[in-house]
Amino acid sequence: MGLVASLLSSDVGLAAGDSAGMATARALFEANQLGEARVAFEKLSVATPKDPEVNFYLGVLALRRFEPEKSVAYLQKAVAAAPGTSRYHQWLGEAYGRSAQRALLFSQFGLARKCLAEYQRAVELDPRNLDARFNLFDFYRSAPAIIGGGAERAAAEAAAIKKLSPDRGRIAFAILLVLQKQYERARAELDEVPPLDLAAVRGDRVFLSDVQWSAATVGWGQPARNHYWFDEKINQHVSLRLCGRMHDKGLYAHSPSHYVFALDGKWTNFSAIVGLRDEAHQQGSAIFTVRGDGREIFRSAMLRVGALERVNVNVTGVNELELVAEGGEGHNHNSWAIWAEPVVSR
């Protein structure tokens, strides 16, 4: 994925002699070099076939290859070896859920119940595991009551999420409101916190998606901060998701898009993760560009869904920062671009 850092922290390590190989495999995974990461973890698996962390990564990689049954097998091994690890249960639940989506009707309810049980166990083990809680919320809101779903359970989980993370809780409640076709209330929920004046920020870092831009345009819909734009016709996606990871901070940027921020020479670094939202069609592509006072200081490769790139550039002395996304093949069809975790620091 580029999984969230807390999901990637190791609870159970390999033998000391394998630590270098594990570090290399993780680095490949984090760089989204998934083929190379898979080979590296498979080599580790030969030496330590029961290691829970190796099986965890192999399970997540199998999900990325749309092989949920293989993912289940790997993640079951991880859970068996370390049953007290929340994220292992969380991802086993995800694998069961994906398997249920592909299963025949007579078997999918059983898989769905297994999915629910794993999500619930993940939250029980670590109530602050926000990704597990959001997966549980998604299950409640989408599953029928006969297998444990329901609007009341979804709303209760959204409230629990909001206590832990107001940003993610607003997304959860907005999703429920969109499902009820209450679009204006959903937007009011998402806009509950007004943008900051960047010139007035005194801290050492700030998300650009939390501050007021100087100008913004997008190729489809309207500019949006920390959520995906939606309306009455396109309303399936409110959260920002890249390569399986949900991002609480980011800019919706369907190309051609252009965001401008007045840095006034007060910041030294800009970083972000860029890519196309999950579920975008393979037809879509995007190239992301960063400009400082009109000069190009970063240009990504042409990215399609399932790929991402990390941005980290020096903006010392820059007065005006521009974030641009354009279609990569002369059109903007399905170019559902995202600037995730866009941070300026000093």
Side-chain angles (χ1 to χ4, degrees), residues 13 22 47 112 115 134 171 177 185 188 191 193 204-205 236 322 328 334:
M22 187 63 163
C115 170
F134 209 91
I171 291 290
L177 290 166
R185 285 188 62 193
D191 295 337
V193 178
D204 292 334
R205 68 192 301 273
Q236 303 95 330
E322 299 172 78
N334 290 290

Side-chain angles (χ1 to χ4, degrees), residues 13 19 29 88 109 284:
S19 60
F29 186 87
Y88 296 170
F109 278 5

Side-chain angles (χ1 to χ4, degrees), residues 198 200-207 266-270 343-346:
L198 183 56
V201 172
R202 295 292 176 259
D204 292 334
R205 68 192 301 273
V206 66
F207 289 101
K266 297 179 180 178
W267 302 87
T268 60
N269 194 79
F270 169 73
V343 172
V344 287
S345 56
R346 55 190 170 194

Side-chain angles (χ1 to χ4, degrees), residues 17-326:
D18 295 315
S19 60
M22 187 63 163
T24 298
R26 278 180 170 153
L28 290 167
F29 186 87
E30 275 298 286
N32 213 48
Q33 298 179 33
L34 302 185
E36 295 90 335
R38 177 187 177 188
V39 170
F41 282 115
E42 285 176 342
K43 287 181 179 179
L44 290 169
S45 181
V46 171
T48 55
K50 294 184 179 180
D51 185 275
E53 196 74 351
V54 171
N55 282 300
F56 166 73
Y57 278 99
L58 286 171
V60 174
L61 285 164
L63 271 185
R64 292 290 304 276
R65 298 193 306 274
F66 305 102
E67 297 175 339
E69 292 80 9
K70 288 185 179 180
S71 180
V72 165
Y74 283 124
L75 290 163
Q76 284 175 335
K77 291 179 183 179
V79 165
T85 307
S86 175
R87 61 195 169 100
Y88 296 170
H89 289 277
Q90 173 195 338
W91 283 94
L92 179 55
E94 178 76 9
Y96 281 138
R98 299 277 188 90
S99 296
Q101 291 172 5
R102 293 176 54 165
L104 297 173
L105 183 62
F106 68 83
S107 63
Q108 66 182 1
F109 278 5
L111 288 168
R113 289 191 179 97
K114 288 183 178 181
C115 170
L116 173 60
E118 294 301 326
Y119 288 158
Q120 290 174 329
R121 181 59 176 155
V123 171
E124 178 185 351
L125 287 167
D126 181 6
R128 301 189 68 83
N129 183 340
L130 283 170
D131 291 310
R133 297 207 81 124
F134 209 91
N135 283 352
L136 185 57
F137 160 77
D138 272 335
F139 184 97
Y140 287 149
R141 74 173 178 83
S142 59
I146 192 173
I147 54 173
E152 289 186 6
R153 288 180 175 179
E157 193 60 39
I161 291 169
K162 195 167 186 178
K163 286 183 179 179
L164 293 170
S165 170
D167 289 328
R168 192 165 293 198
R170 281 190 285 272
I171 291 290
F173 277 112
I175 289 171
L176 294 179
L177 290 166
V178 166
L179 289 173
Q180 299 166 20
K181 301 187 185 304
Q182 298 186 48
Y183 304 112
E184 292 308 313
R185 285 188 62 193
R187 292 189 182 93
E189 177 75 33
L190 293 166
D191 295 337
E192 184 178 64
V193 178
L196 302 170
D197 178 358
L198 183 56
V201 172
R202 295 292 176 259
D204 292 334
R205 68 192 301 273
V206 66
F207 289 101
L208 288 182
S209 55
D210 284 343
V211 306
Q212 185 60 59
W213 48 65
S214 303
T217 60
V218 295
W220 189 279
Q222 299 176 11
R225 61 181 82 251
N226 300 327
H227 68 88
Y228 228 81
W229 170 81
F230 58 89
D231 67 2
E232 292 78 0
K233 294 181 180 179
I234 300 179
N235 53 40
Q236 303 95 330
H237 303 278
V238 176
S239 59
L240 300 169
R241 293 181 182 270
L242 290 178
C243 296
R245 174 182 172 183
M246 178 177 172
H247 294 272
D248 297 334
K249 303 293 186 180
L251 296 167
Y252 162 76
H254 191 296
S255 69
S257 62
H258 185 217
Y259 284 89
V260 182
F261 296 90
L263 301 191
D264 297 330
K266 297 179 180 178
W267 302 87
T268 60
N269 194 79
F270 169 73
S271 62
I273 304 169
V274 296
L276 274 65
R277 76 159 191 218
D278 291 356
E279 293 94 33
H281 193 280
Q282 279 290 337
Q283 175 195 40
S285 63
I287 297 172
F288 296 81
T289 304
V290 180
R291 299 173 188 158
D293 295 330
R295 179 176 63 89
E296 184 176 302
I297 54 178
F298 171 85
R299 176 175 287 266
S300 76
M302 187 181 76
L303 302 178
R304 296 191 189 277
V305 63
L308 56 80
E309 193 164 332
R310 297 178 184 276
V311 184
N312 194 346
V313 294
N314 189 322
V315 294
T316 301
V318 169
N319 290 303
E320 185 176 82
L321 185 72
E322 299 172 78
L323 308 180
V324 179
E326 300 173 297

